[in-house]
Amino acid sequence: MQMTMRWFGPKEDKIPLEHFRQVPGVEGVVGALYDVPVGDVWPTDKIEALVGQAHAAGLTMEVIESVNIHDDIKIGAPSRDRYIDNYKQTIRNLAQYGVKVICYNFMPVFDWMKTDMNYVLPDGSLTMAFEKHGVDKSLEEVVKEVLDNSNGFALPGWEPERLAKVQELFARYADVDDDKLRENLFYFLRAVIPVCEEVGVKMAIHPDDPPYSIFGLPRIVKNHADLTLICDTVNSPANGITLCTGSIAEDPDNNVYEILADLTRRGRLHFAHVRNIKIIKDKDFYESAHPSQYGSLDMFRVMKALHDNGFDGYIRPDHGRFIWGETGRPGYGLYDRALGVTYLLGLWEALEKAKQ
């Protein structure tokens, strides 16, 4: 298992790499390029510079997040093959610089959804939350609220230029239901997985966030059955999952521990985003501190499901609250994520020693 933390690059992250290096147990950072338009090939010179910065700070960068899928691929437009060819070349380029896993999603329009980016907890810390009444607004209002509360940072999957015409974007998805979106995902995977096998890269799809329909949009990565179908339909070790415990647990019907155990046993869990959430009521929730007592997930059971089934992939503490007066990109406070790292590694050490 390799412990990592997400880093948004020198222009999009206020936290220097040296600070990640000082968090005990952190071996690498998970990076991305945010100045390459979605659908374009990631240039080798930019990849080299990005990975080189991590190496210079004594960290690995073997996982990339947010090689986003162009809408034409998700919709199944005639132009999709051009964008898939670009994606294949990006995979080859990333492999040249030691990237082993690409985390991506296949959600229409929005890559994730929160209705409150600065939800205040009783202790005064700030976190992100989702309450269903928060999406009972026009699309333009929802987009504006998220972007206005980004604290000035670019948000992957929420590109302002793309969402400026959100009604037009929604109209393009009008004929895309669950079956069609799933068909388009499989078309994409059948095209790119042979390239992954060739160059030693693994694709790891992230669950839908939230894992149920909002605004009438289709959802195809929402539960155990969906994840199993994705793995079985394109049956290759290079086709796997990023299991985000916070996202999948947003639907209380999902058994997070069983999903983790099964995917790990099958060798298809390539990346784990491990965080806790607190269900407020129904499916409303906020992102809590990592320890079990603060959320709705038993984090010992989460780590035990990974440990006991031989997890040897990459892991990160995922989101963190703003504590101790910190400000920055919503969901990515350094201090709370560092506490999360220490907590998760403590659970892992206890599990390791208990088997001796």
Side-chain angles (χ1 to χ4, degrees):
M1 180 186 77
Q2 184 179 129
M3 180 62 73
T4 65
M5 296 180 76
R6 192 171 188 182
W7 179 59
F8 290 87
K11 294 182 180 179
E12 291 293 342
D13 205 319
K14 64 181 289 185
I15 302 167
L17 283 169
E18 291 74 16
H19 289 185
F20 291 113
R21 183 71 179 86
Q22 292 168 7
V23 180
V26 170
E27 300 175 57
V29 286
V30 176
L33 294 174
Y34 299 103
D35 59 348
V36 179
V38 175
D40 286 5
V41 176
W42 284 23
T44 53
D45 59 334
K46 291 189 175 184
I47 296 172
E48 182 179 24
L50 181 72
V51 174
Q53 289 175 81
H55 291 173
L59 296 159
T60 68
M61 187 179 285
E62 297 178 0
V63 182
I64 292 291
E65 288 198 37
S66 300
V67 183
N68 287 338
I69 311 294
H70 196 278
D71 286 301
D72 285 11
I73 299 174
K74 298 176 186 177
I75 293 166
S79 58
R80 65 178 171 180
D81 287 336
R82 173 165 62 90
Y83 290 113
I84 289 174
D85 285 343
N86 287 351
Y87 208 101
K88 291 178 184 177
Q89 190 57 50
T90 293
I91 292 171
R92 295 187 183 101
N93 291 352
L94 288 168
Q96 288 184 45
Y97 295 95
V99 171
K100 306 296 184 187
V101 172
I102 296 173
C103 172
Y104 71 106
N105 73 75
F106 216 76
M107 286 177 267
V109 184
F110 306 114
D111 277 17
W112 48 269
M113 176 61 71
K114 299 292 184 291
T115 59
D116 192 340
M117 309 285 277
N118 293 287
Y119 187 88
V120 183
L121 296 177
D123 63 4
S125 60
L126 301 179
T127 190
M128 296 195 293
F130 177 86
E131 297 175 279
K132 290 188 292 297
H133 70 79
V135 294
D136 293 335
K137 304 172 183 176
S138 72
L139 292 170
E140 288 83 0
E141 286 177 309
V142 171
V143 170
K144 186 176 187 303
E145 283 188 8
V146 171
L147 296 180
D148 285 353
N149 288 280
S150 68
N151 296 340
F153 291 91
L155 303 175
W158 285 79
E159 298 82 7
E161 64 279 2
R162 175 173 164 270
L163 294 178
K165 299 179 179 179
V166 68
Q167 292 286 0
E168 293 180 20
L169 188 54
F170 259 78
R172 296 191 65 207
Y173 279 94
D175 297 326
V176 181
D177 59 10
D178 284 12
D179 290 339
K180 183 63 175 176
L181 186 65
R182 189 175 292 111
E183 177 186 323
N184 293 339
L185 170 61
F186 295 157
Y187 184 94
F188 168 75
L189 287 173
R190 289 187 179 107
V192 302
I193 290 301
V195 176
C196 292
E197 293 171 337
E198 172 192 329
V199 299
V201 170
K202 296 176 179 178
M203 297 294 290
I205 195 168
H206 188 288
D208 297 330
D209 183 4
Y212 47 82
S213 181
I214 55 173
F215 301 114
L217 293 168
R219 284 288 190 259
I220 60 169
V221 196
K222 60 189 179 299
N223 54 37
H224 199 171
D226 287 346
L227 296 167
T228 300
L229 181 62
I230 291 166
C231 291
D232 289 348
T233 300
V234 183
N235 193 5
S236 166
N239 176 34
I241 308 298
T242 294
L243 205 290
C244 176
T245 61
S247 295
I248 206 72
E250 290 165 17
D251 183 346
D253 290 337
N254 283 329
N255 188 319
V256 177
Y257 320 109
E258 287 184 3
I259 295 171
L260 284 167
D262 179 53
L263 293 173
T264 304
R265 277 196 303 269
R266 299 181 60 184
R268 303 301 274 274
L269 184 61
H270 303 323
F271 190 22
H273 292 181
V274 180
R275 60 181 165 93
N276 209 343
I277 64 169
K278 180 68 174 179
I279 301 294
I280 305 169
K281 61 178 180 178
D282 300 325
K283 294 179 180 178
D284 292 352
F285 71 92
Y286 63 79
E287 297 184 345
S288 67
H290 283 77
S292 303
Q293 69 197 80
Y294 296 102
S296 297
L297 288 174
D298 183 332
M299 301 304 282
F300 178 80
R301 289 184 66 189
V302 165
M303 296 303 285
K304 183 174 174 60
L306 293 170
H307 178 273
D308 291 359
N309 291 284
F311 179 71
D312 63 354
Y314 302 88
I315 186 172
R316 70 176 178 87
D318 206 14
H319 298 168
R321 303 164 296 142
F322 285 141
I323 61 175
W324 305 336
E326 187 180 19
T327 61
R329 179 186 296 275
Y332 286 93
L334 172 64
Y335 307 144
D336 198 43
R337 281 188 292 159
L339 293 175
V341 166
T342 300
Y343 174 67
L344 297 177
L345 288 175
L347 292 175
W348 191 267
E349 180 180 349
L351 288 161
E352 282 282 284
K353 292 184 174 177
K355 74 177 184 181
Q356 295 176 359

